[in-house]
Each structure stands twice: as C-alpha cells, then as structure tokens.
Amino acid sequence: MTETGQTAQPPTDDHAFAAWAATLAGERLLAVRGEGLEGRELKDAGDAAAQALLAELLATHRPDDAVLSEEAADDRARLEAERVWIIDPLDGTREFSEPPRDDWAVHVALWSGGDLVAGAVAQPALGECFVTGQAIELAPRRSERVRIAVSRTRPPAFVEALAAEMDAELVPMGSAGVKMMSVVRDVADAYVHAGGQYEWDSAAPVAVARAAGLHTSRVDGSPLVYNQPDVSLPDLIVCRPELAADILAFVERHGTE
C-alpha cells in the first residue's frame, strides 16, 4: 500500500506509474464530488473526468502503449500490442454518487507478455492506493468466522448457499475492486463472483491480490486471462489461499446458478 501524490515528473517504473495515475484520477474524482452535483449528473461527471485524466496521462507518458478502458471505444489494435493498460476510471459509480460512501475505486493495470505485470487500485475516499511492485503484506486474519464480500444490492444466490455451507458471514460493499482489496485488508476473506464482469473490473485488483499472495482464478479454477478479443470476464474467485480448495469444491458440486 502506498500514498502517491502528484509529482513534477511521472515515475518511470510501471508499478509506480500505475499508482501515480490512479491516485491522480482519485484526486480528480474527489474534486468532482465536491462540486455539488447529485445522482446521474455526479455519476456522469465522475466517469468523464477520470477517463479524461487517465487518457491524457497515458497518451502523454506511455504513448506507445495501447489502452483498454471501460469508458472508451475498444481499439482492437491492443490485440497486437506488446503492452496494454487496462483501466476502470471509476469502479463503483453508484457508491461514488452517494457521499460519504468510500467503497469505490480507480483501477490501473498493465498487461504485457500474456499476463498482468503491474497494477494499482486507489480508494480515494480512504486516501489509500494498493500497488504491485513492492511488498504487500497480507493483513493477519482476525475473524474466526469466514467473511465473504458480496454486492450490497444483489448478492448471488449461490454465494449465499456457499456461505451457509461454510458458516460464513456475508459482507456487503460496492465496487468490485473494493471487494477484492477487502481481502487484502482483512475486511473479508473471499470474494466470489459469477454475475458478469469485464476485464477492467478485475485486472488491477487481481494484479494486487496476486502480489499479496491471494488465490485468484475463474470459478472453475482456471486462470484469469486478459487482453482477449472478448473482454467479458464474468466470474472469479479472490480469496485467502487456505479457503480456495473448499470454495472451488463447492462450485464444482453445485455450480453458480
């Protein structure tokens, strides 16, 4: 975890650059949040402001790299590129539009050579940015009862069944990135999802989760693969390593319907 303010020159290291860009976008989003907008106007303003800033930073400081963003048209040239930044300028737009909620995030990840190589997840309302490239100490588990992060509005039925089998507690929260970082922070022990997502929803959080030593996979145990022609990546598991076998076994027996 790092705190990265604006500097005169951007970092040359890709890990530090991801954190720098995510943090600056988060600062911009906090400023937008303070402009007095509400509801849809606030959501749209946040999406647009963060996208514009990240697009400018990447075009200026990583001009030879491709970009895949939730808030921009998909440039298929990325499929032939050596380096692709996968970004979600505002993950958890609904929570962002409900001050003072803090469960929203900015995702900045770098894909190269067939896999994620750097990533940062900023949680601006907490003043934190989780980033690869340095030691990420997984917080010691304080809860005897397993905690599973779920959507605050639509927890999947199969996760409720999983929680019942494991005698686990469901912990509702917003942004997908926040749910994954909750496992790093020992706010939850697992995040299990099968309701539909895209590459930008998980790329940066998965990079950080891996760096922290967490288990990351599809719900069938297969690897999470990025920079694909179809950017849908509908399911995943991020959890403490000791829970992975039980969660995968449950999904194999019961599925996700």
Side-chain angles (χ1 to χ4, degrees):
M1 184 171 63
T2 184
E3 296 181 6
T4 308
Q6 187 168 4
T7 58
Q9 294 295 326
T12 56
D13 173 77
D14 287 324
H15 305 280
F17 179 84
W20 178 77
T23 299
L24 291 185
E27 291 172 357
R28 176 71 61 87
L29 285 164
L30 289 173
V32 170
R33 223 185 190 193
E35 292 174 356
L37 300 173
E38 296 181 351
R40 173 51 61 186
E41 284 188 322
L42 179 53
K43 293 177 182 179
D44 291 346
D47 284 335
Q51 168 62 27
L53 178 58
L54 288 175
E56 178 184 358
L57 293 177
L58 289 167
T60 301
H61 302 296
R62 297 293 190 273
D64 297 328
D65 297 349
V67 180
L68 172 63
S69 171
E70 179 179 16
E71 301 299 331
D74 184 3
D75 182 355
R76 307 288 282 187
R78 66 180 173 81
L79 298 173
E80 305 300 326
E82 294 183 3
R83 291 162 47 97
V84 181
W85 292 91
I86 303 175
I87 64 172
D88 190 342
L90 174 52
D91 183 53
T93 307
R94 175 174 179 170
E95 288 71 29
F96 169 76
S97 73
E98 298 175 357
R101 294 195 70 96
D102 59 26
D103 49 344
W104 51 278
V106 179
H107 300 177
V108 179
L110 176 62
W111 173 98
S112 182
D115 205 354
L116 302 172
V117 296
V121 178
Q123 291 190 235
L126 295 181
E128 294 183 332
C129 185
F130 300 86
V131 60
T132 58
Q134 59 187 39
I136 301 177
E137 184 174 348
L138 185 62
R141 182 174 165 186
R142 295 174 302 223
S143 174
E144 292 185 8
R145 192 179 184 195
V146 173
R147 300 155 297 173
I148 302 176
V150 294
S151 168
R152 55 186 281 245
T153 57
R154 52 188 186 281
F158 89 94
V159 177
E160 294 180 337
L162 169 66
E165 179 167 301
M166 298 181 69
D167 188 29
E169 173 188 2
L170 297 179
V171 184
M173 60 188 77
S175 150
V178 168
K179 292 185 186 78
M180 286 178 256
M181 293 307 95
S182 75
V183 186
V184 175
R185 297 171 56 217
D186 190 41
V187 175
D189 303 302
Y191 172 46
V192 185
H193 178 80
Q197 287 182 354
Y198 297 91
E199 290 188 13
W200 46 74
D201 291 307
S202 65
V206 163
V208 173
R210 288 176 180 173
L214 296 174
H215 169 90
T216 65
S217 73
R218 301 286 300 271
V219 293
D220 64 359
S222 62
L224 293 154
V225 181
Y226 294 87
N227 195 35
Q228 298 297 293
D230 180 358
V231 297
S232 173
L233 195 53
D235 58 73
L236 82 166
I237 298 170
V238 174
C239 68
R240 287 184 174 269
E242 65 269 22
L243 299 178
D246 287 345
I247 294 172
L248 288 166
F250 175 89
V251 174
E252 184 176 6
R253 290 196 309 270
H254 300 289
T256 59
E257 296 301 322

